[in-house]
Amino acid sequence: MNPSKLFRTLFMLCGIVLLMAHETVHADYYTADPTASTPKLVVKKNPVYTLCPDLKANLTLTKSSNGLVTISGTVTNVGVGNYNMASVAEVIMNLAYAPQYSCVQTGVSDILKTMTFSTLKRGASFTVNTAYQIPDFGGWASESVQGNAKRYFTLRVIKQDMTSYQSGEDCNPENNSALKEVAYRDLMH
């Protein structure tokens, strides 16, 4: 067979296959009810994806023998979008005494560190570090030392205007805070 005839034959076969595929694809998008007098047009919509940011807080505490607690926090945008909103990252300390260990009853709460930020690119992080010296410290609670007080350290991220997150602003606001506690012996309580 002549190469030019072979090329023309292949070209025509490809054209026929493409034409048949085109008709098959369009048959899914435009369907008509044969019993109706006017055919109905069905239009399928493409899904819309939002690149949503997701801030995640992590907290690590290091205890020294004299009651100094070193607090290392990290805020990371683990979402697929960039975060662009005036916000605050705070490290908060709350105190609770035995036997109920209720922070509400003591009323002692301090903001130890505040950092403001407004942008955090996808995958980026920043650190929030501080330290806290426990007053009247008598030793860390253990199996041999009964604790009578607890300090709760929280790293939280909130919007600067303190409103709740709307759809698309943060995909999972539940992971915007991290809490760690330390139990110890308070000499004055």
Side-chain angles (χ1 to χ4, degrees):
M1 183 178 257
N2 186 352
S4 64
K5 283 186 177 181
L6 179 63
F7 180 72
R8 268 189 264 143
T9 305
L10 283 173
F11 183 75
M12 288 186 62
L13 282 173
C14 287
I16 293 169
V17 168
L18 286 174
L19 185 60
M20 289 173 57
H22 178 71
E23 292 300 318
T24 302
V25 168
H26 283 287
D28 287 343
Y29 283 91
Y30 306 105
T31 57
D33 184 1
T35 60
S37 59
T38 305
K40 293 181 182 177
L41 178 65
V42 177
V43 178
K44 294 184 179 180
K45 294 183 180 180
N46 292 330
V48 177
Y49 296 101
T50 304
L51 298 178
C52 188
D54 180 17
L55 299 182
K56 182 176 182 183
N58 287 309
L59 190 63
T60 304
L61 302 180
T62 305
K63 303 182 294 188
S64 70
S65 60
N66 65 352
L68 179 68
V69 180
T70 304
I71 302 144
S72 302
T74 306
V75 176
T76 305
N77 182 356
V78 296
V80 294
N82 294 332
Y83 185 83
N84 295 307
M85 191 172 314
S87 300
V88 177
E90 297 176 323
V91 176
I92 302 168
M93 182 281 306
N94 291 295
L95 170 64
Y97 289 114
Q100 294 88 0
Y101 290 113
S102 171
C103 297
V104 175
Q105 289 177 340
T106 63
V108 177
S109 179
D110 289 326
I111 296 176
L112 304 178
K113 178 95 176 207
T114 300
M115 290 181 66
T116 59
F117 68 101
S118 58
T119 60
L120 192 60
K121 292 188 181 272
R122 175 178 108 176
S125 299
F126 66 88
T127 58
V128 182
N129 298 323
T130 190
Y132 181 77
Q133 177 64 54
I134 297 175
D136 304 317
F137 180 75
W140 297 111
S142 65
E143 290 180 19
S144 59
V145 177
Q146 181 70 21
N148 65 350
K150 289 184 181 180
R151 300 276 174 163
Y152 299 93
F153 297 94
T154 305
L155 170 61
R156 73 174 183 170
V157 179
I158 58 173
K159 289 169 50 175
Q160 201 164 25
D161 64 4
M162 299 180 74
T163 60
S164 36
Y165 286 98
Q166 302 301 314
S167 177
E169 292 179 342
D170 190 326
C171 288
N172 182 13
E174 299 298 317
N175 64 356
N176 287 14
S177 65
L179 169 74
K180 299 282 183 173
E181 70 177 57
V182 293
Y184 66 98
R185 187 87 185 137
D186 187 319
L187 296 176
M188 299 303 286
H189 187 74

